[in-house]
């Protein structure tokens, strides 16, 4: 099973600033990585797939990068609606696995 | 618009069975791979089951032999038959559509399963 590890667990950032979240896979997953955003009381929402491609309707301030084992989600110029929990997920191999989540909170 | 609506959650005692359903609309259901994903109270997400457009199914070891996923294309519906429930199966269960990009593109609102004596 591929273990996905996210860091940091919690990130405090001020609105308007940039946030960078990391995700590491225990073995290579090529670019088969997705990022999801989850707000309280809601289901996760797909943000990024293929490590770097924004899903339909996702603003350009969300960007993803990386391949192999190390990946990054960057949110430039944070808006109030961006404060949420973010998960990475690998779909290179079954069992599909998720990171433990990273909470982005307002500083 | 893609819609996924889960139902069937509730309170169950350990060892009993429960059947979850998912009603899908807004896309070509018969051509889509579908999944169930659960989320524990501590917010961890776990993939639970997959069914392909060809009815092939896959499960993680944690539910293999206890859970069975099926689909009925004529009714645009999914089911998850959960047998021999355990306390650790307590979670919110989401029905998920896989996109052409292989990621988990669309999620339902979830249905809560609580296994407790």
């Amino acid at each position: 099973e591929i273990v996905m590890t996210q860091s940091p667990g919690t990130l405090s950032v001020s609105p308007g600033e940039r946030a960078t979240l990391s995700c590491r896979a225990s073995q290579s997953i090529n670019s088969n990585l997705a990022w999801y955003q989850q707000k309280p009381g809601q289901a996760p929402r797909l943000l990024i797939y293929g490590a770097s491609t924004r899903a339909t309707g996702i603003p350009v301030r969300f960007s993803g990068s990386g391949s192999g084992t190390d990946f990054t989600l960057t949110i430039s110029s944070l808006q109030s609606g961006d404060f949420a929990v973010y998960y990475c997920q690998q779909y290179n191999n079954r069992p599909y696995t998720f990171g433990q989540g990273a909470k982005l909170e307002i500083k | 618009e893609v819609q996924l609506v889960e139902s069937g959650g509730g309170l169950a005692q350990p060892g009993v069975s429960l059947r979850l359903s998912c009603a899908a609309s807004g896309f070509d259901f018969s051509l889509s791979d579908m999944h169930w994903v659960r989320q524990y109270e501590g917010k961890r997400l776990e993939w639970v089951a997959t069914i392909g457009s060809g009815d092939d199914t896959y499960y993680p070891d944690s539910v293999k032999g206890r859970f069975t996923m099926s689909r009925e294309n004529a009714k645009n519906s999914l089911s998850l038959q959960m047998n021999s429930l355990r306390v650790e199966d307590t979670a919110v269960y989401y029905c998920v559509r896989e996109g052409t990009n292989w990621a988990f593109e669309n999620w339902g609102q979830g249905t809560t399963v609580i296994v407790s004596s």
Side-chain angles (χ1 to χ4, degrees), chain A residues 9 12 18-19 21 30 43 47 54 62 64-66 76 81-82 85-87 91-92 96 98 100 106:
Chain A
S12 300
R18 171 190 295 236
L21 303 176
N30 302 299
L47 296 176
R54 280 185 301 279
F62 290 89
S65 63
S76 62
D82 300 336
V85 178
Y86 293 83
Y87 296 91
Y91 49 91
N92 193 67
Y96 306 123
F98 293 83
Q100 79 277 20
I106 301 174

Side-chain angles (χ1 to χ4, degrees), chain B residues 25-73:
Chain B
S25 61
F27 62 101
D28 196 334
F29 179 77
S30 65
L31 296 181
S32 294
D33 289 0
M34 301 294 296
H35 308 270
W36 287 94
V37 174
R38 64 187 176 186
Q39 186 166 35
Y40 299 104
E41 190 170 358
K43 302 302 181 185
R44 183 170 70 91
L45 290 163
E46 181 183 35
W47 165 69
V48 171
T50 294
I51 189 164
S53 56
D55 281 350
D56 44 320
T57 55
Y58 307 90
Y59 308 92
D61 289 345
S62 59
V63 307
K64 194 176 295 182
R66 299 189 300 124
F67 289 13
T68 302
M69 186 175 184
S70 59
R71 65 192 302 160
E72 192 169 355
N73 290 337

